Amino acid sequence: MSGLDEYGVYAREKGKDIHYAIKWSPLAIADRWAINAKVPSVAGVYEIYWMDDHKHLRMLTVGRTHYGGLRTEIRRLTDPELTNDSAAKKILEDEEIWFRFAPCNSAMIMADILWFFRKTYFPENPGVEHSGRYERIFINESEPDKLIWIP
């Protein structure tokens, strides 16, 4: 699973286990021009962060998108004028917002990946289910940035 050429998600089944390799896009500051220029209108998974006063990235959200694609969803989630969530709106207005993404066209793969990340980041309440196809899910991330973030 090494040597991935393009951003995206790659899978390898091994018995009742699945091993996913995710090659993330480089981190980018979320402004409408960067999103329109860099993010494709395809399905995939994404992570959105905000930069705190100590220059640490903090997770804002992790998710997946099908219809409308990554470009539309990341644009919607990073624009304070497009959100109804008052806590998120304050962060979006006051902080520097960053994002990364990995295209993926399989709803079942995205379900597994999102469940894995949410179970890892929010173990008490991941809020999503995996596809149910595998007993164990493993993920190996490849990223151009050495991302260290604070929950």
Side-chain angles (χ1 to χ4, degrees), residues 71-108:
R71 181 182 304 150
T72 301
E73 190 70 357
I74 291 171
R75 174 79 173 89
R76 183 183 70 78
L77 292 170
T78 59
D79 189 331
E81 294 177 12
L82 299 178
T83 186
N84 294 326
D85 180 338
S86 59
K89 184 176 185 114
K90 177 134 180 65
I91 291 171
L92 295 174
E93 288 174 340
D94 296 345
E95 308 299 341
E96 188 175 78
I97 307 299
W98 292 75
F99 70 93
R100 67 182 184 172
F101 62 89
C104 178
N105 61 8
S106 168
M108 294 181 105

Side-chain angles (χ1 to χ4, degrees), residues 1-4 8-10 19-25 27 45-47 49 59 62 100-102 113 116-118 120-121 138-149:
M1 282 193 251
S2 61
L4 306 177
V9 177
Y10 303 85
H19 295 259
Y20 293 114
I22 299 175
K23 183 171 183 186
W24 290 106
S25 68
L27 279 167
V45 293
Y46 57 84
E47 292 182 336
Y49 301 90
M59 173 71 67
V62 56
R100 67 182 184 172
F101 62 89
I113 290 169
F116 180 92
F117 285 138
R118 292 193 57 90
T120 301
Y121 302 157
F138 300 94
I139 293 185
N140 181 28
E141 297 178 86
S142 171
E143 53 195 330
D145 313 290
K146 295 301 176 203
L147 177 62
I148 298 173
W149 64 275

Side-chain angles (χ1 to χ4, degrees), residues 40-46 63-74 76 102-112 114 128-129:
S41 289
V42 297
V45 293
Y46 57 84
R64 65 182 173 194
T65 183
H66 305 281
Y67 308 109
L70 288 162
R71 181 182 304 150
T72 301
E73 190 70 357
I74 291 171
R76 183 183 70 78
C104 178
N105 61 8
S106 168
M108 294 181 105
I109 290 173
M110 288 190 293
D112 290 343
L114 186 59
V128 296
E129 295 293 325

